[in-house]
Amino acid sequence: MFTKLLIANRGEISCRIIKTAKRMGILTVALYSDADQQALHVKMADEAVHVGPSPSKDSYLQAEKIIQIALKVGANAIHPGYGFLSENATFANLCEQNNIVFVGPPVSAIQAMGSKSAAKNIMEQAKVPLVPGYHGDDQSTDGLKSHADKMGYPVLLKAAAGGGGKGMRQVWKATEFNDALAAAKREAMSSFNDDLMLVEKYLTAPRHVEIQIFCDNFGNGVYLFERDCSVQRRHQKIIEEAPAFGMTETLRAQMGEAALKAAKAINYAGAGTVEFLLDSDGQFYFMEMNTRLQVEHPVTEMITGQDLVEWQLRVANNEPLPLAQDALSIHGHAFEARIYAEDPNNEFLPATGRLSLLQPPIESEYVRVDTGVVQGDEVSVFYDPMIAKLIVWDENRDKALARLTKALTEYHIDGVVTNIEFLYKLTSSGPFKAEQIDTGFIEKNQDVLLLNDEQDVKPLLPVAALYLMLSNQQNHATSIPDRFSPWSLSNAWRANEQHLQNLELLVGDNTFAVQVSQTGAGSQIIYDIKVAQQDYRCSGEIENNQLISTINGHRTLANVTAHQDGYSVFCDGKVIRFKSLQADLGETQDNAADTGFIAPMNGTVVAILVEPQQLVEKGQTLMVMEAMKMEHSLTAPAAGCVSEFYFKAGDLVDGGVELLAFQATQECSKNAT
Ligand code: ADP
């Protein structure tokens, strides 16, 4: 086995490969660009070498330079991951010339599948069923159009060199053809420097089902079953699952055999994926073959119990495949959801920013998180905006799906717009549960899937308001912000009488007026909250950034973070990000300062720092107490005065007793006159 592996990639896939290499006792070398100096993959590797400036073309795509680095550090193999140089025949060739093992297929196989047109020619000869279409040399507009006309619309124009959904255009009628072709060619030229096009019959509601294959250098080949990757936006996958629902053993074997036939046709070795479109009538058509490890390989790992990176390294090391076909089987069901920094409500536009909060769900035998970032990292403009892959497994689809939706509710990110809430809505939607899925899923279900204020924001308004009320109360309980202190408990202080407050919440561009009336005492405080023409009866408490709220008799748990832009409340797969427009809740209406002060537990009065009736500023310390060997200052919730202290310095007080009476300024002046 190789002693040192260089990983010519970054981010989550570098981290993923490093984990397996470590387990196998192989030393790892990471690369980093300027932007990635502090990246997780750099910290995880045994060595890391600077490869260039931040843009990919100056760093992770610098084939020659990477080879030089590999030679310098004495790496005897290079794993290219996915993307970047993973399907670059020139790079694979350079590795070979320099006696470095390229962890991937032979150069000839990469070349054969490098062009979608050439690949289709090879598959046609190998008698693998193809999506009907034209993939020949006549690239004239009239020539291509006549093929489209013959095939009948709609058709799909595709760049032969394409990838990532670029250079692709649907054409619905003949009159749109020329413009669509020109646009697709322009895009292909700017993305791939190659505008060779092919025309395919556009299947209107197919599924994307792909087969994971593996071949070794001894003529053995197996398929590790299928993945359904139909849920896509912009022709790019965001949710994958394995096995594909509704698959029969016969169809699985047919597709598996067809995929192996494709691999054999090009003398394949290593990990590969043969992508098919599957029609509702069970017909499947070859689309393309990816000659590398796929982003979504973890779902296959979860259902087969195999480590595909280990398989890759073994095959690259000239070992036979670890298992034969009959030793492979499917166990349970797995999903992968790609967590992206992107805005589903703005055409999935990539987003950038600093991950000020990054709280993934806890990993277990059911939940796996593959990521390359940690809290505080930047999602930059330079690379793919994928933050992580959330992978779940369970015995069957329903159970795995329940794991997925739950894990999504536990994934909390701030600082960057993400698709988490969108993924939650998608995976908990009726059609997704009911397997009514094809590649048009997102478009068809847009109404249900896109975030909408009525459904997604408004139900969280009372939670947001309740949080402000409770945290305000906590802040007033002590001037020492110590959340473990008994004096910080939300029930430490109570209103003597009913008490009205007005708040304003800024959510996005909308301002919501909130009216709160507060009754009861201690942990029994009830907040009647009126917001967006709805009344809610609320109570709750805050503990370690968790808000336990009961709203109209429904108790739920929310996670809350406070940050420079305001607050985020994560609850039931939804999130509300808001600001309170009211600087301080203590300065509220006339009777706001009528708040009583209740001792939450036994303690001693250490000092009284103001005179009764003396006018004090908001925040001024009134009394100091000691409990559990710690001192706690009690401060004025607003400008005003203490009308009466019920204890003096040195007194022991019991939990639950009232300590002093406080009045707002107006009341104090009345007393004075
Ligand atoms: P890329 O290499 O750019 O990712 P693919 O050829 O893999 O492009 O296609 C990406 C997606 O586009 C497929 O998963 C499928 O959803 C859709 N697609 C591709 N070809 C067709 C077709 N002929 N009819 C309908 N949808 C298609």
Side-chain angles (χ1 to χ4, degrees), residues 447-517:
D447 292 351
V448 190
L449 300 182
L450 289 184
L451 295 181
N452 125 1
D453 280 359
E454 280 303 318
Q455 276 175 20
D456 302 309
V457 175
K458 289 202 176 154
L460 292 187
L461 288 170
V463 188
L466 177 66
Y467 172 72
L468 285 180
M469 296 304 298
L470 293 169
S471 66
N472 176 58
Q473 209 153 29
Q474 266 193 356
N475 292 341
H476 281 151
T478 171
S479 60
I480 305 166
D482 176 3
R483 62 197 162 98
F484 299 110
S485 151
W487 303 99
S488 308
L489 293 176
S490 60
N491 58 5
W493 317 110
R494 66 161 169 80
N496 283 335
E497 53 200 60
Q498 198 189 32
H499 169 140
L500 262 184
Q501 302 200 31
N502 287 320
L503 323 176
E504 278 193 322
L505 300 180
L506 181 65
V507 186
D509 296 331
N510 298 321
T511 306
F512 293 92
V514 186
Q515 259 188 4
V516 187
S517 84

Side-chain angles (χ1 to χ4, degrees), residues 116 131 156 158 162-166 168 200-204 206 208 229 232 235 237 275 277 287-288 439:
K116 289 185 207 280
V131 180
L156 186 66
K158 270 188 194 177
K166 291 197 194 98
M168 217 184 249
E200 279 180 4
K201 178 79 194 154
Y202 183 69
L203 308 182
T204 46
H208 173 123
C229 314
Q232 304 177 348
H235 299 300
K237 304 156 186 170
E275 297 189 336
L277 288 179
M287 210 169 19
E288 66 166 347
T439 56

Side-chain angles (χ1 to χ4, degrees), residues 194-273:
D194 177 352
D195 64 359
L196 186 75
M197 301 302 293
L198 49 116
V199 189
E200 279 180 4
K201 178 79 194 154
Y202 183 69
L203 308 182
T204 46
R207 288 166 63 188
H208 173 123
V209 176
E210 59 184 34
I211 306 287
Q212 175 70 56
I213 58 121
F214 244 101
C215 299
D216 62 18
N217 299 322
F218 307 95
N220 303 308
V222 296
Y223 57 91
L224 289 94
F225 316 108
E226 75 282 355
R227 297 182 284 258
D228 186 312
C229 314
S230 302
V231 179
Q232 304 177 348
R233 42 101 180 87
R234 283 192 264 108
H235 299 300
Q236 285 181 291
K237 304 156 186 170
I238 44 171
I239 293 186
E240 301 96 349
E241 60 179 293
F245 54 84
M247 198 72 173
T248 63
E249 282 307 321
T250 316
L251 184 57
R252 174 170 293 134
Q254 279 173 354
M255 291 183 78
E257 290 305 328
L260 281 178
K261 206 150 71 173
K264 295 244 161 79
I266 54 166
N267 290 322
Y268 202 76
T273 295

Side-chain angles (χ1 to χ4, degrees), residues 87-156:
E87 292 180 287
N88 185 310
T90 312
F91 181 65
N93 205 15
L94 271 178
C95 290
E96 207 170 283
Q97 284 167 8
N98 287 281
N99 284 326
I100 299 167
V101 175
F102 176 76
V103 182
V107 176
S108 57
I110 302 177
Q111 276 164 340
M113 289 297 159
S115 153
K116 289 185 207 280
S117 311
K120 284 182 86 170
N121 279 330
I122 296 170
M123 292 306 125
E124 201 164 28
Q125 278 160 28
K127 305 222 171 344
V128 177
L130 301 183
V131 180
Y134 176 74
H135 47 270
D137 295 333
D138 181 0
Q139 290 289 306
S140 68
T141 303
D142 288 349
L144 290 171
K145 182 164 181 297
S146 73
H147 286 289
D149 291 343
K150 241 182 280 161
M151 216 176 295
Y153 293 86
V155 299
L156 186 66

